[in-house]
Amino acid sequence: MMFVFSTVYTLAVLFLSTKAEPKSKSCIEVRAAYSSKGFNVNDVPNKGVHGAHLKVCPQGYSCCTLEMEEKLSQQSHSDLKAPVSQLSYNLQSTFKQRHSHFDQFFRELLDNAERSLNDMFVRTYGLIGAVNLDSMLSEFWEDLLERMFRLVNVQYEFSDAYMECVSRHTEQLKPFGDVPRKLRLQLTRAFVAARAFTRGLALIPDVVSKVSTVSASPSCVRAAMKMMYCPYCSGQVALKPCQNYCINVMRGCLANQADLDTEWNNFLDAMLSLAERLEGPFNFESVMDPIDVKISEAIMNMQENSMQVSQKVFQGCGQPKPGKGTRSGRSVKETGFTGRFRPYSPDARPTTAAGTSLDRLTTDVKKKLKNAKKFWSTLPETVCAGERIAGGDDCWNGTAKSRYESVVMGSGLANQVSNPDVEVDITKPDGVIRSQIAALKEVTGWLKAAHSGNEIFVDPGEDDEDGSGREESGSGCDSPSCDQDIYFSTPPTHVNPRLVVFPKDTAGGARVTRGSAALALCGLTLALLAPHWR
């Protein structure tokens, strides 16, 4: 009886061992697949060996040695990183290109505006010296007031001291009506929105670049090795992982990255909202184009109210001295303005090197922003798709060719506490990821402020610990009126502004002072924009 039992036991062991041992043909396939990875084919045994020495893959008879397992583990690290890096690179390249287009577009539009405005001033007032757009606008209204005041009072002589008195009363006099305030408001909103949006575009590739530097943990590499290459050890080189198995491994490996998703999506929503503003009331081109019309309106206000303005000045600053001689003044008709300020050529809209319009740029980037939503939380599903995985029961579940039965984990670090395939320490969030979450949150605040017409300014020299910055007020708008053009509807193309052309002689002198608070703010906006566009 004992002999029979012993014989049956021996036969059973031999049967099971034979069944578990990879066939010689399978190890040959492993040799070919292993060498295709760049490894030495001689590392692979000709036939199955006992795998008790293996640290990751199932033990038993195997086509893998410990040396092979270590090399394949290194390979799995690269193979795990490759699809994530490619997807990140594609996203990074997309927004680097869009940022370059926007940055180039706005910079050239500014340059064109500066040249065009300067040309208009030269034609209108004579050569007033080499000035750039920000200083030109900041000093424009005070210089314009002086020239207009002298022109409408040619029978008097005014000293510099007298004109300083006039400047001091500019706010009370409001010689140009409400034009300076409205123009400043429009310019501020448009420039702040444009710069904030461009900065937002620059942030996207920066965040992606930094997040892509986060290394996989040892437990993640171990899980990737088990998923990708343990089938080699059992001689099943063509066997691919089950989809849910792959998703669980990738959600464990990318748990920290998935935690970006909330602030990432908030940031993209803020970008999309600001893009709507750029297409509407904060449209940079729409604000820049009719500036000459608005300046003409201001000058007409001064012309129509010149007598009242002059009387108030005489009452406040004293009666001026009569001129020694009568200056010849030219009428409006005689000096009709022949040119218009345009930030781009009338023959093509626009003429920037970006080769497009703001509307087309914005429409394109909105599509890209929408496609980028939930990028981080859906990375596992994106990676675990197509030829990388197998469906049904014909897939590798981590131990054998069979259906994967474990529950699929949720996204994010906190949901990996019970991940069956990757050991994740949920108490130690990645520092790089956390810093990028903070950066996204901060810039989202800037974008929301810009959406309301305000700008949050952070002095680089200050330690802004809470990331809140300091909000510059005075141009904000939280009401539905932000969605409307607060100044003009689109001006008719036949408008011929009744702009006074001042004599090119410099009789009486021209002061360069900073008396107009309204346009000084406008100039400040441009000064902030042009040198620090990025």
Side-chain angles (χ1 to χ4, degrees), residues 77 81 84-85 88 92 205-216 257 376 430-433 435-436:
H77 189 190
K81 187 176 180 180
V84 176
S85 295
S88 298
Q92 193 175 351
D206 186 58
V207 168
V208 175
S209 175
K210 289 176 180 175
V211 171
S212 66
T213 65
V214 176
S215 300
Q257 285 86 335
W376 303 104
D430 184 84
V432 172
I433 301 293
S435 68
Q436 295 312 298

Side-chain angles (χ1 to χ4, degrees), residues 255-313:
N256 278 286
Q257 285 86 335
D259 281 350
L260 272 169
D261 228 39
T262 298
E263 286 304 329
W264 175 263
N265 292 334
N266 289 341
F267 164 77
L268 294 179
D269 284 337
M271 286 288 287
L272 287 166
S273 293
L274 192 55
E276 297 289 340
R277 285 282 204 243
L278 290 175
E279 290 178 320
F282 296 176
N283 187 296
F284 196 91
E285 289 177 296
S286 297
V287 171
M288 296 299 290
D289 185 29
I291 283 181
D292 63 326
V293 177
K294 297 173 186 181
I295 293 174
S296 298
E297 176 75 9
I299 292 175
M300 285 188 285
N301 284 338
M302 175 66 181
Q303 287 178 217
E304 292 169 0
N305 297 296
S306 60
M307 291 187 63
Q308 295 94 316
V309 170
S310 296
Q311 288 303 315
K312 289 180 180 178
V313 170

Side-chain angles (χ1 to χ4, degrees), residues 156-158 162 314 318-322:
Y156 298 109
E157 284 191 357
F158 301 101
Y162 194 96
F314 297 160
Q319 189 68 25
K321 296 179 181 179

